[in-house]
Amino acid sequence: MVVKGRLIDIHERRIYPARIETEGRLIKKIEPVDDCDEVYIMPGMIDAHIHIESSMLVPGYFSMAAVSRGTTGVVADPHEIANVLGRKGVDFMIDDAERVPLKFYFGAPSCVPATTLESSGAAVSPEEIEDLFNKKRVKFLGEMMNFPGVVAGDEEVMRKIQIARSKNLVVDGHAPGLSGEALEKYVAAGISTDHECSDIKEAQEKLSLGMKILIREGSAARNLDSLKELIKSEPQNVMLCSDDLHPEMLVRRHLDRIVADLVNQGFDLFNVLACCTVNPVEHYGLDCGLLRPGDPADFIIVNSPSEMKILSTWIEGEKVFDGNNVLFSYSGPEPVNKFNSSEIDASMIKVKRLGNNLRVIEASDGRLITGSGLALSGTGEFAEADQERDILKLVVKDRYRDAPPSTAFIRGFGIKSCAFASSVAHDSHNIICAGTSDDLIVDAINAVIRVKGGMAVVRPGKTLTLKLPVAGIMSDLPAADVASEYEELTAFVAESGCRMSAPFMTLSFMALLVIPELKLSDRGLFDFSRFALVPLFTDKII
């Protein structure tokens, strides 16, 4: 097979008319030609860190959407499904990925559960991690979120890291805000990347210690604008990633739009492309092609680097997307799940007022990091939501057993007469709900329970639900269908006055204890700075 176009040679940093000849799955020969069509050939793009589960798509359907955006490989950490189903969930992801051509490179989840202060559906042991490393597509140890354990030298944490290092495998990091001596200990343990930097100063300190920085541009967390100057100063040490990408965004863009936007802003094309091709291939040791003779024939043809319209996508010599249609089939998954919660009633989420001041989670758009605020608790017997002050009640319900829910308060969403709930709640994926009244909250949580996992929005007189039958976090439908349903739910929340551009994604991280500052688990309110549960009421003066 032969293709011709203007070859973007990242290694020699030049663009020239070329003829590429493939033989089987490999590139046999690349030769200059006198002329060619005004199209550009470049290596397929690789997302350097993503949780496939956050797209609410199983690997097969994710693949069909991703190849249409010029993505040929992903470095995927399956710790979301591992928190639900353990090793069985990881095996599900690997097996499903084998049914499609997109190159999935999985990590062995390092922190399942993420902490001991929440209820998860499973755990992944060091022995299971070592066994996972025997699988062909398991290439690294997933993000080490338990950085307090690393810094303290926790025996089990260090054992997991040592298993990976003994096999010369990469250990991914997760260390938001970590600095100074603690960061030095974290890096010295052998952790090589971080995707949690929110500003240049934090990134530069980590770079100075030898870490690679993954610039994240996802659905809820978007750090590209803050960190993009690193592509000019440290192009060899930067990669691009999504981390968490919801389905409606994947349908419209992946790395293709990031590349086009950066090129249009004047960033060096070769540096930008290296961040989503050469750098992840070399760092993780991936068998992805980089447009050299002898490489796998993984490449894309686009109309121009500044527009990045994908004309065709090729993986191992097979055209998998022709500019309009995906050229391979996928018949859907066999759902797996663990969901044992019974419905709740309003009495279970009442908060008896035990003081004048209460701690409030401060949420903001585009950020996973929350603030820790204070608010007056009212004057009645119970502390209630107060939509006039934008103080919502936040509830997390253990979905693996019939334990009572925990309740706290949050502001930043701005909704009126609404509650919305989801069983996508990082990382343990219990049910999380924010709402303006107890009755609406109960209805939303019970709507999720009745379908054994999904998302729900309740406003007076109307309920919308999206079913997620695969582990309670993924659909069994194609990307376009899931995106359409998800957008309908998001619009329904927006109609209630919500200020968040991705309300469900933001909500899902309000239970993630390993991101600062104040979060809620099914066991209570969690203060990241103390790394401990704290009382809802406080004597602090407002």
Side-chain angles (χ1 to χ4, degrees):
M1 186 271 297
V2 173
V3 298
K4 291 200 303 182
R6 295 180 62 80
L7 177 68
I8 301 177
D9 189 327
I10 300 175
H11 309 279
E12 295 188 8
R13 297 180 66 87
R14 68 189 183 109
I15 302 173
Y16 62 94
R19 174 185 182 272
I20 300 175
E21 182 180 345
T22 68
E23 186 173 81
R25 56 180 289 272
L26 303 178
I27 292 176
K28 180 180 180 181
K29 188 185 301 184
I30 299 176
E31 298 176 322
V33 295
D34 292 332
D35 58 19
C36 64
D37 293 337
E38 194 65 19
V39 297
Y40 293 79
I41 308 172
M42 65 180 70
M45 292 175 289
I46 300 161
D47 192 321
H49 177 77
I50 191 169
H51 304 286
I52 301 300
E53 304 97 312
S54 289
S55 71
M56 294 183 280
L57 305 172
V58 293
Y61 285 131
F62 176 93
S63 175
M64 298 183 81
V67 297
S68 73
R69 312 311 314 181
T71 302
T72 57
V74 291
V75 180
D77 185 340
H79 74 208
E80 310 295 356
I81 196 170
N83 273 280
V84 178
L85 294 162
R87 171 66 188 271
K88 179 182 177 182
V90 178
D91 287 341
F92 168 85
M93 298 296 282
I94 294 171
D95 293 344
D96 197 70
E98 289 292 335
R99 300 167 59 194
V100 290
L102 183 75
K103 292 186 171 182
F104 289 87
Y105 302 96
F106 289 102
S110 68
C111 299
V112 177
T115 74
T116 58
L117 298 170
E118 58 191 316
S119 301
S120 69
V124 176
S125 68
E127 292 77 16
E128 288 173 310
I129 286 172
E130 187 161 22
D131 186 55
L132 279 169
F133 285 145
N134 294 321
K135 288 186 171 282
K136 174 185 174 184
R137 289 292 175 185
V138 179
K139 292 286 191 178
F140 63 101
L141 183 65
E143 58 180 300
M144 180 49 72
M145 298 181 291
N146 186 3
F147 54 84
V150 177
V151 174
D154 178 87
E155 183 178 347
E156 181 167 312
V157 168
M158 301 310 290
R159 185 179 170 201
K160 291 175 179 179
I161 294 172
Q162 185 54 41
I163 289 169
R165 295 190 70 184
S166 70
K167 298 177 182 295
N168 295 315
L169 295 175
V170 167
V171 181
D172 262 358
H174 167 115
L178 199 63
S179 182
E181 184 179 349
L183 177 62
E184 291 174 9
K185 289 181 179 179
Y186 186 74
V187 176
I191 297 167
S192 61
T193 69
D194 188 78
H195 60 274
E196 294 289 345
C197 294
S198 56
D199 59 51
I200 286 284
K201 182 180 178 181
E202 179 182 356
Q204 286 174 336
E205 183 181 6
K206 291 172 178 176
L207 285 164
S208 73
L209 295 172
M211 297 188 94
K212 307 286 187 182
I213 299 301
L214 279 59
I215 299 179
R216 171 175 56 191
E217 189 73 0
S219 290
R222 298 182 290 276
N223 307 121
L224 183 64
D225 283 345
S226 299
L227 301 176
K228 62 188 177 184
E229 292 302 311
L230 294 175
I231 298 171
K232 296 178 180 178
S233 61
E234 298 271 356
Q236 73 280 11
N237 293 319
V238 172
M239 291 174 261
L240 301 176
C241 76
S242 300
D243 195 8
D244 296 285
L245 195 67
H246 264 187
E248 87 293 351
M249 192 172 286
L250 177 61
V251 167
R252 296 191 182 98
R253 70 126 174 115
H254 194 191
L255 300 174
D256 53 333
R257 295 314 318 152
I258 298 175
V259 168
D261 290 346
L262 289 169
V263 170
N264 285 316
Q265 291 172 40
F267 283 78
D268 180 87
L269 170 63
F270 300 104
N271 288 347
V272 171
L273 291 181
C275 292
C276 57
T277 57
V278 175
N279 294 355
V281 166
E282 293 183 347
H283 183 72
Y284 290 99
L286 311 180
D287 57 346
C288 290
L290 294 172
L291 278 180
R292 298 169 297 193
D295 276 5
D298 307 329
F299 58 88
I300 59 177
I301 301 177
V302 304
N303 67 331
S304 74
S306 61
E307 291 186 14
M308 289 294 292
K309 180 181 179 182
I310 310 300
L311 303 177
S312 62
T313 303
W314 302 73
I315 299 177
E316 299 209 336
E318 175 189 358
K319 185 190 286 189
V320 296
F321 178 69
D322 66 4
N324 294 301
N325 301 298
V326 174
L327 303 179
F328 61 90
S329 60
Y330 170 76
S331 57
E334 289 292 331
V336 290
N337 204 355
K338 182 185 286 187
F339 209 103
N340 301 315
S341 176
S342 298
E343 294 184 23
I344 69 168
D345 61 57
S347 68
M348 297 179 181
I349 61 171
K350 290 290 185 186
V351 177
K352 190 169 182 63
R353 200 170 68 86
L354 300 176
N356 292 325
N357 305 323
L358 52 83
R359 292 182 172 92
V360 176
I361 300 169
E362 304 275 6
S364 55
D365 197 22
R367 288 173 59 86
L368 307 188
I369 294 174
T370 60
S372 177
L374 297 172
L376 294 171
S377 61
T379 58
E381 180 182 359
F382 299 101
E384 306 284 0
D386 184 347
Q387 66 182 25
E388 298 307 314
R389 292 190 291 159
D390 187 27
I391 297 176
L392 308 180
K393 188 172 279 190
L394 184 70
V395 176
V396 175
K397 171 70 176 74
D398 180 353
R399 60 118 139 179
Y400 302 105
R401 55 196 66 82
D402 273 329
S406 65
T407 305
F409 294 86
I410 189 168
R411 59 185 161 208
F413 284 94
I415 61 174
K416 308 288 186 184
S417 301
C418 178
F420 61 112
S422 175
S423 57
V424 178
H426 303 286
D427 276 331
S428 292
H429 298 295
N430 291 304
I431 306 163
I432 189 166
C433 182
T436 57
S437 75
D438 289 356
D439 288 343
L440 292 173
I441 290 169
V442 167
D443 287 347
I445 290 174
N446 288 342
V448 171
I449 291 171
R450 282 192 290 272
V451 295
K452 300 295 184 183
M455 297 177 170
V457 185
V458 178
R459 292 168 60 191
K462 186 174 182 181
T463 299
L464 292 181
T465 305
L466 167 61
K467 297 178 182 179
L468 299 175
V470 182
I473 56 177
M474 290 178 285
S475 174
D476 56 357
L477 298 175
D481 295 341
V482 183
S484 177
E485 288 190 48
Y486 176 71
E487 285 188 305
E488 186 179 8
L489 263 68
T490 300
F492 199 43
V493 178
E495 289 169 9
S496 73
C498 185
R499 294 192 291 266
M500 301 291 182
S501 56
F504 279 99
M505 181 67 87
T506 302
L507 179 69
S508 72
F509 284 103
M510 296 303 103
L512 183 55
L513 309 189
V514 294
I515 298 280
E517 182 65 38
L518 203 60
K519 298 293 172 70
L520 181 66
S521 87
D522 66 294
R523 299 182 188 177
L525 192 63
F526 181 83
D527 186 329
F528 177 88
S529 63
R530 305 182 192 186
F531 220 78
L533 297 175
V534 294
L536 180 57
F537 294 89
T538 176
D539 293 330
K540 288 184 178 180
I541 303 300
I542 297 177

